[in-house]
Amino acid sequence: MGAAMGPLVLWLQDVAAVTLLRARRTLLRAAILFCVLVLLLWVSIFLYGSFYYSYMPSVSFSTPVHFYYRTDCDASDSVLCSFPMANISLLKNGRDQVMMSGQAYRISLELEMPESPVNEQLGMFMVKMSCYTTHGTVVQSVARSTMLHYRSNLLQTMSTLLFSPLLLTGVSEQKQLIEVELYPDFKSDLYQPAVGAVIEIQSCRVQIYSAQLRILAYFTGIRYLLYNFPVMSAIVGVASNFTFLSVIVLFSYLQFIWGGLYPPEQVRVKVMMGDSTRLQQRREEARKRMHSSSSTPIMPYGRDSGEAADPPKQTVRHKAQDSSTDEAPIFLEAPHIAETPLSEEDPDHEQRAAGMGNGTQDEETTQPQSSDTNLRQRHGPWMRL
């Protein structure tokens, strides 16, 4: 019983060892594949993020505007000594440009103005903006007019009574937010980009709580899709990068393991070796046939009744020189050499043809002439004399 179970136990041990080895190899391959896929996914996300960061400009930019004016004059009532002005930098952190070249932007100025009798009596006033470069050259300038929104006395009284609790607690104020659109479609020049702007309010009686400059980008094309559909754009971009990187890794793996899908060098070498081998075989066959035809005599055809007489393809007439009597001519068929098909591209075609022709001519000229006619034997059926 123990002797019968011995081979079975050994067989089970071998099967378990092979199964364990295959499981370890499969697990190792799965782990390597998982790591490669995770790496490709991470690289795809990184590439899409880099592309989005470099391709998409700032959607919006907002900066406070602080006006200044002269105070060295004797101003009466609420009249200022000069127009309020402000110098705004259009650079992020003093280095990066806010507006990308070729991108359209909408630039507006928001003024927070109180509903004071001075502003109500002011009426319309001008707001001017001038953009300049690093050398101080003004590249674009624009001026727009604005004023407070009109509200009647009755409307102001009702609003005051309605919002009196909020006004008393300081949650709300009697003020208006005026938005002045300066540039509806501003595009910065690539060679002379705007790095700053000067804003001027051309009124000496204006009263302002605060001001804010806002720059909003108008996107078109791919930027429009990236901004308005961020999730779908991210999925498509990451999937495209992942597919492209997967194809590159796959072809690299095939090149490393198999040497490529279509190795052109090996195929070219095989074809050239095959052509040279066939040419050499043809030369050897032609040389053997020439040697056999020059050394083997051709036997005359008999007149047996059973043999069929075929017409000769080529006749050669020989006459003995030593014999004084005229003998009947003997017609012999020239040896037949099987033609080998030669390609037009064979460089040795003409040389072999010339060599075969010279060999035949030399054979006929160097053939010894005697009283006995030498007969040669050819490949093919016999021909009668």
Side-chain angles (χ1 to χ4, degrees):
M1 185 67 179
M5 293 296 295
L8 181 59
V9 172
L10 294 177
W11 179 78
L12 291 176
Q13 292 179 355
D14 294 339
V15 170
V18 172
T19 305
L20 181 60
L21 181 60
R22 291 181 179 178
R24 291 177 58 185
R25 290 181 178 178
T26 304
L27 183 61
L28 180 60
R29 292 176 181 177
I32 294 175
L33 180 61
F34 178 76
C35 294
V36 171
L37 293 178
V38 171
L39 179 62
L40 292 179
L41 181 61
W42 183 85
V43 174
S44 302
I45 296 175
F46 176 76
L47 291 177
Y48 176 78
S50 301
F51 167 76
Y52 187 89
Y53 179 77
S54 61
Y55 185 73
M56 288 294 294
S58 299
V59 178
S60 62
F61 175 77
S62 178
T63 180
V65 179
H66 303 284
F67 291 100
Y68 62 92
Y69 52 89
R70 290 173 53 192
T71 59
D72 55 351
C73 64
D74 296 333
S76 60
D77 299 333
S78 60
V79 178
L80 303 179
C81 297
S82 64
F83 294 155
M85 298 180 61
N87 191 358
I88 306 301
S89 176
L90 300 178
L91 297 176
K92 290 181 180 180
N93 301 324
R95 295 176 301 175
D96 301 331
Q97 295 183 7
V98 174
M99 295 180 290
M100 182 179 293
S101 301
Q103 174 63 40
Y105 292 91
R106 179 180 179 270
I107 303 177
S108 62
L109 178 66
E110 292 183 356
L111 297 175
E112 189 178 5
M113 302 175 62
E115 293 179 343
S116 62
V118 176
N119 287 336
E120 290 178 356
Q121 296 175 4
L122 177 64
M124 296 181 63
F125 57 92
M126 298 294 295
V127 178
K128 183 180 179 180
M129 179 177 179
S130 301
C131 299
Y132 59 89
T133 61
T134 54
H135 302 286
T137 305
V138 177
V139 290
Q140 293 189 28
S141 180
V142 66
R144 294 288 187 268
S145 63
T146 185
M147 65 176 295
L148 284 178
H149 297 287
Y150 173 75
R151 299 177 67 182
S152 63
N153 295 330
L154 179 59
L155 181 59
Q156 290 181 0
T157 303
M158 293 176 62
S159 175
T160 303
L161 294 175
L162 180 62
F163 294 100
S164 59
L166 299 178
L167 294 174
L168 293 174
T169 57
V171 176
S172 178
E173 296 181 3
Q174 291 180 332
K175 62 182 180 180
Q176 293 185 14
L177 185 64
I178 307 300
E179 183 178 3
V180 184
E181 186 181 50
L182 299 175
Y183 290 97
D185 188 11
F186 180 84
K187 292 183 179 180
S188 180
D189 191 2
L190 178 62
Y191 301 101
Q192 293 181 346
V195 297
V198 175
I199 299 175
E200 180 183 10
I201 298 179
Q202 297 179 351
S203 176
C204 294
R205 299 179 59 89
V206 66
Q207 295 178 351
I208 301 173
Y209 279 154
S210 63
Q212 196 85 6
L213 182 67
R214 298 188 182 277
I215 300 176
L216 181 64
Y218 280 150
F219 296 133
T220 57
I222 298 179
R223 290 174 178 170
Y224 177 82
L225 297 176
L226 293 176
Y227 178 71
N228 292 279
F229 305 96
V231 178
M232 185 61 64
S233 302
I235 293 175
V236 173
V238 172
S240 302
N241 293 334
F242 183 80
T243 303
F244 181 73
L245 294 176
S246 300
V247 171
I248 292 179
V249 171
L250 178 60
F251 275 93
S252 302
Y253 176 77
L254 294 178
Q255 182 69 26
F256 178 75
I257 298 299
W258 295 342
L261 294 177
Y262 303 99
E265 299 296 335
Q266 298 181 6
V267 174
R268 188 180 298 110
V269 170
K270 291 182 180 179
V271 171
M272 294 178 62
M273 291 178 60
D275 293 341
S276 61
T277 304
R278 286 195 295 272
L279 292 177
Q280 187 176 2
Q281 291 179 357
R282 291 176 183 176
R283 292 175 184 175
E284 293 295 335
E285 292 178 359
R287 189 178 296 107
K288 290 180 181 179
R289 290 172 182 173
M290 292 174 58
H291 180 71
S292 61
S293 61
S294 61
S295 61
T296 306
I298 298 178
M299 300 301 295
Y301 294 95
R303 295 182 177 272
D304 298 338
S305 60
E307 298 178 355
D310 297 332
K313 297 182 179 179
Q314 185 179 359
T315 58
V316 180
R317 184 175 181 180
H318 299 275
K319 187 174 182 181
Q321 297 179 357
D322 297 336
S323 177
S324 59
T325 60
D326 297 335
E327 296 179 357
I330 300 175
F331 295 92
L332 303 177
E333 183 178 1
H336 176 73
I337 300 176
E339 298 180 358
T340 59
L342 299 177
S343 61
E344 297 179 359
E345 300 178 356
D346 189 359
D348 299 333
H349 174 68
E350 298 181 357
Q351 297 180 2
R352 292 203 304 271
M356 292 175 63
N358 295 334
T360 306
Q361 185 177 2
D362 295 341
E363 179 186 352
E364 292 180 359
T365 54
T366 58
Q367 182 179 5
Q369 298 180 358
S370 60
S371 59
D372 297 334
T373 303
N374 294 328
L375 302 180
R376 292 176 298 175
Q377 183 179 6
R378 70 176 182 87
H379 301 282
W382 294 95
M383 185 182 69
R384 300 176 182 273
L385 292 175

